[in-house]
Amino acid sequence: PADDAPDDDAPDDDAPAKPLPRSTAHRVEVRSSRPSTAVDAHRAAESVHVLVVDQDTPPSTSVADALQAVPGVSVRRLGGRLDPSFVRIRGATARQVAVFVDGMPLNAFGASAVDLSELALFAFDRIAVYRGFAPAHLGSSSVGGAVNLITDPERSVPITGSAGTGSWTQRTAQLTGGLSGDLPGGVVGQVRGFVGYASTAGDYAAFSHNGTLYSAADDTVAPRSNNHAQRVSGHVGLHARGARFEASLWDLVGGLDGGVPGAYYTRTTDARFANASNVLHGRLTLHPAPWATVEAGLGWQARWELFQDPLGEIGTGTQDQRGGFHGLSANVSAEFRPQPWFSLRPGARLDASQYAAEDLNQPEGATAARRVAPQFQLDARLLPWGDRLELRGTIGLLVLVDQREDEPARDALVDALPGFALAFRPWEFLTLRGSVARGVRPPSFLELFGDRGSTHGNPDLLPESSVQIDAGLRLMGEPHRMVGGAIEVGGFLIDTADFIVFVPTAQRVAVPINLGATRMAGVEAQVEGRLLEHVDVSVGLTAFGESTILEGAPGLVGNRVPNVPTWQVDAGLAAFHGDVVRLAWRFSYTSGTFDSPSNFFEQAPRPLHDLSLRVQPGPLWPWIHVEVTNVANTITASQYRNPHRPREDDRTLVALQDVRGHPLPGRGVMVTLGWSPDPPALRRHALAQQQGSAP
């Protein structure tokens, strides 16, 4: 879906798109083969981080906001609330990161860059972020890691409603809830749902140099125009569990409609983008014996898009285009545990998709591109020293065929994808871990066949491939009842071959090419803890020691890989008293990045502060949440005109932005009021009263 979304390396100013505010502290969880709580993630052999969505998560938090707090993860945004945002892991592009919903791929094999703004965070219970090596049930083939948005079928979901309003005419409303109970035959059943609405005028104040970077005479600050948007989303799930089986069926729907603002110095009035999507997935898990598990899943994804630019404000290309995407994903696997110290998990999956784009101003009609990709995996887990040493090995075989309508099929891609990970736990509080894995990303439909407009296709593109190595240690414990937490430190090295970038061939027209080879290397660190039973603290750091183009066109070798920050820091501090009050502060800093392989223009660093306050006087009372994002109202920065020859007397004022021409918003305020007739606090309150009255 959204294959026409702006690519991470597309040329300047021809990508219509959008970002979102950031937010406060999230707590972490972990489990062994599929981490689900902080304890599991601490013990996992993969480099995995699990974010939990709970009442402490500020209501305006987006999926992008939550991911931004994970070390090694950065998010590229194209504006304010409901504007497109895309995830990057350890410098990988958005298409190189696989995004899943409960194991169902949204962009199988890098078919597109998933727009995170279209996913409502509170429809899910947690997010697992795999940096590098990913488990076999997620395909094990991505170049840049994987993000899995997860709903917990066994979680009790009380009915909760909320509504909010804020700066730039922001409006939100959402309702979640679930029911569970006993069914005939000893089966436990559950139904849960989510429905949400969000809208914004998006008219925040934005700085513009009006296309004259070297002159300050015409610099202005004006409201962002044509940046309105509204989104509706829904998620319903059914789950049943018996003695020897589990079954689930869920459906995720969404729709978005809004303006496309274009670059800040070419303001638009009528450009518009709309989409609607539906993702349906079912899974059946059988336990035929204590030592065996069989699992099968089947999913279908559909997406429809409409882009209209009647006045040609965005630039060359199709000005009235309609697109449709359909994808089928099926998988089957079995896990055998003949001994407590050994398990084997063979599996197979099939992903098939079709994308058809139609220029409504042309008589030819829609052209369809199709992809069929069977994949086979084998995952083995060995515990040769009890629970102290875990060895994980995976091997995948990918076969992929692309074909455009009325053209012969391209040569099939056949590739082997091995991976290995280990975890050594000399003590329960310490885990030493490491992994090495190979990934591959075939070119997308857009890169192969173009869009008959601003992007020309290149059928000779080679697939991107990578080798990733990482290692680290984790400490976790509670040395005193007043102090507890976790520390993780690690390093990584990623070599990518045949890296795909877009290069301009004419004004606002680009073609994808294989740039050559790149290398990313750096360190990640995170500290999370609870102090004095009333304070949460978290600090995350990512530092790239190397982010270099090793091979490519003359003049590019030795340059930094575009859109990769040298430094990224995210820190949070929250003080709370039970569920009554919680005051949180978050600071994030992202160093400047180059926006193209030429390294001619460097985006300004972004230091941002956020504050939030949640108050609920009692378990039966409504709660109120007040958030202030970008407290200092930082929208501009002084930047060197020539980053290769920095001189203090040669600076210019630029807007804070991730993509050139799309400024980020300044200070924003959001107030949300909510209530639940059966919140967790009420259950704890009732239990405390019960225990207090016991003899």
Side-chain angles (χ1 to χ4, degrees):
D3 208 350
D4 61 346
D7 187 89
D8 287 309
D9 302 297
D12 302 335
D13 308 332
D14 61 354
K18 324 179 180 184
L20 279 148
R22 320 180 29 140
S23 293
T24 32
H26 312 282
R27 294 189 218 156
V28 189
E29 290 199 342
V30 189
R31 192 166 86 191
S32 181
S33 61
R34 299 191 184 187
S36 60
T37 66
V39 178
D40 294 340
H42 166 70
R43 298 169 61 83
E46 305 97 342
S47 179
V48 60
H49 193 98
V50 180
L51 297 167
V52 176
V53 182
D54 59 17
Q55 65 179 18
D56 294 335
T57 307
S60 73
T61 306
S62 67
V63 173
D65 298 328
L67 293 175
Q68 185 72 45
V70 179
V73 175
S74 61
V75 175
R76 299 196 72 213
R77 309 162 188 257
L78 284 97
R81 185 171 178 81
L82 299 185
D83 290 335
S85 52
F86 306 92
V87 63
R88 300 169 62 98
I89 298 179
R90 292 177 172 174
T93 67
R95 284 191 176 93
Q96 292 173 342
V97 178
V99 180
F100 298 82
V101 173
D102 281 326
M104 165 78 178
L106 299 184
N107 61 336
F109 307 109
S112 67
V114 174
D115 180 2
L116 301 177
S117 71
E118 297 177 9
L119 301 169
L121 176 66
F122 288 88
F124 307 97
D125 296 313
R126 59 185 185 273
I127 306 175
V129 183
Y130 295 90
R131 297 162 295 192
F133 179 87
H137 73 277
L138 295 182
S140 307
S141 62
S142 59
V143 168
V147 175
N148 191 18
L149 293 97
I150 302 166
T151 54
D152 187 347
E154 299 182 12
R155 179 191 172 200
S156 176
V157 183
I159 297 174
T160 304
S162 67
T165 185
S167 305
W168 317 305
T169 325
Q170 296 182 62
R171 302 285 188 268
T172 64
Q174 60 187 36
L175 180 67
T176 60
L179 296 171
S180 60
D182 295 332
L183 300 175
V187 176
V188 178
Q190 183 197 56
V191 58
R192 60 177 293 177
F194 166 89
V195 60
Y197 171 81
S199 67
T200 179
D203 53 349
Y204 55 86
F207 171 83
S208 171
H209 56 65
N210 285 303
T212 57
L213 182 62
Y214 295 95
S215 171
D218 57 352
D219 290 355
T220 60
V221 175
R224 192 91 160 108
S225 66
N226 196 34
N227 195 34
H228 61 279
Q230 57 181 344
R231 181 196 69 203
V232 294
S233 52
H235 192 180
V236 61
L238 303 172
H239 180 256
R241 185 179 74 254
R244 292 185 176 273
F245 80 95
E246 288 184 56
S248 63
L249 177 68
W250 56 260
D251 192 38
L252 177 67
V253 298
L256 184 139
D257 184 18
V260 180
Y264 48 39
Y265 50 83
T266 55
R267 303 174 70 179
T268 66
T269 58
D270 293 297
R272 170 178 171 256
F273 178 74
N275 67 53
S277 61
N278 186 80
V279 184
L280 179 67
H281 187 259
R283 178 183 293 120
L284 175 64
T285 304
L286 302 176
H287 306 284
W291 47 268
T293 301
V294 179
E295 184 177 288
L298 180 64
W300 171 72
Q301 180 182 180
R303 180 184 174 89
W304 300 269
E305 300 173 344
L306 177 66
F307 172 67
Q308 294 177 314
D309 183 18
L311 303 181
E313 297 169 310
I314 299 300
T316 57
T318 50
Q319 295 176 322
D320 196 353
Q321 179 172 291
R322 181 171 57 198
F325 174 89
H326 294 272
L328 177 71
S329 181
N331 69 281
V332 61
S333 64
E335 184 175 9
F336 303 102
R337 300 174 296 276
Q339 297 293 334
W341 48 268
F342 177 68
S343 67
L344 194 65
R345 187 185 182 97
R349 67 181 304 138
L350 173 67
D351 291 284
S353 57
Q354 173 178 297
Y355 180 77
E358 178 181 8
D359 184 351
L360 301 181
N361 296 322
Q362 299 294 331
E364 303 97 90
T367 9
R370 300 182 181 90
R371 169 170 288 176
V372 178
Q375 187 178 15
F376 307 91
Q377 310 111 11
L378 183 64
D379 189 329
R381 182 168 178 258
L382 186 64
L383 302 172
W385 189 8
D387 205 31
R388 292 195 174 190
L389 180 62
E390 176 184 351
L391 305 177
R392 293 277 303 278
T394 66
I395 182 67
L397 177 65
L398 171 64
V399 181
L400 184 143
V401 178
D402 288 320
Q403 182 177 15
R404 190 172 184 175
E405 197 172 40
D406 301 326
E407 294 182 9
R410 290 167 45 86
D411 292 340
L413 167 66
V414 180
D415 212 330
L417 303 165
F420 176 77
L422 65 86
F424 177 48
R425 296 180 282 269
W427 300 280
E428 192 60 33
F429 64 85
L430 173 64
T431 298
L432 304 174
R433 50 151 302 277
S435 68
V436 58
R438 185 174 185 275
V440 64
R441 186 189 77 87
S444 69
F445 292 147
L446 177 67
E447 293 163 335
L448 288 172
F449 307 122
D451 64 0
R452 297 185 178 180
S454 60
T455 302
H456 289 175
N458 182 356
D460 297 322
L461 284 174
L462 299 173
E464 299 173 328
S465 61
S466 69
V467 175
Q468 310 183 43
I469 303 172
D470 77 336
L473 65 85
R474 304 186 185 105
L475 292 167
M476 186 178 191
E478 190 173 341
H480 187 273
R481 69 179 184 85
M482 307 292 282
V483 179
I487 299 173
E488 180 172 5
V489 180
F492 61 88
L493 171 66
I494 306 172
D495 282 344
T496 304
D498 299 314
F499 192 73
I500 296 175
V501 297
F502 283 78
V503 296
T505 58
Q507 186 176 13
R508 295 182 181 271
V509 179
V511 63
I513 64 168
N514 288 112
L515 177 62
T518 64
R519 170 168 291 174
M520 255 86 71
V523 295
E524 300 162 346
Q526 184 163 43
V527 177
E528 293 186 315
R530 175 158 292 185
L531 309 175
L532 307 176
E533 299 182 333
H534 294 286
V535 177
D536 283 341
V537 61
S538 66
V539 180
L541 165 71
T542 305
F544 282 86
E546 184 172 7
S547 169
T548 310
I549 300 172
L550 301 179
E551 300 175 7
L556 302 182
V557 176
N559 286 356
R560 274 173 52 189
V561 177
N563 307 309
V564 178
T566 305
W567 286 90
Q568 187 170 319
V569 178
D570 197 275
L573 184 66
F576 59 92
H577 179 70
D579 297 315
V580 176
V581 61
R582 183 180 182 90
L583 176 64
W585 162 81
R586 180 163 291 280
F587 168 73
S588 63
Y589 175 84
T590 303
S591 66
T593 62
F594 291 104
D595 63 355
S596 70
S598 63
N599 286 187
F600 285 152
F601 182 83
E602 187 175 18
Q603 306 284 14
R606 297 193 305 280
L608 300 174
H609 298 264
D610 300 334
L611 289 172
S612 71
L613 173 66
R614 185 185 191 276
V615 177
Q616 184 178 17
L620 292 175
W621 286 68
W623 51 262
I624 186 170
H625 208 129
V626 181
E627 302 165 70
V628 184
T629 55
N630 194 353
V631 175
N633 197 32
T634 306
I635 63 172
T636 60
S638 178
Q639 192 73 339
Y640 296 115
R641 297 181 200 269
N642 184 348
H644 302 288
R645 294 183 179 179
R647 297 197 337 251
E648 290 303 318
D649 62 344
D650 188 31
R651 286 179 172 268
T652 187
L653 203 63
V654 298
L656 294 193
Q657 54 199 328
D658 281 333
V659 176
R660 198 195 300 190
H662 297 269
L664 301 178
R667 184 188 301 116
V669 179
M670 189 76 181
V671 180
T672 305
L673 184 67
W675 182 69
S676 173
D678 184 25
L682 181 59
R683 292 195 295 274
R684 289 196 294 270
H685 177 71
L687 181 62
Q689 283 189 326
Q690 205 173 46
Q691 291 173 340
S693 62

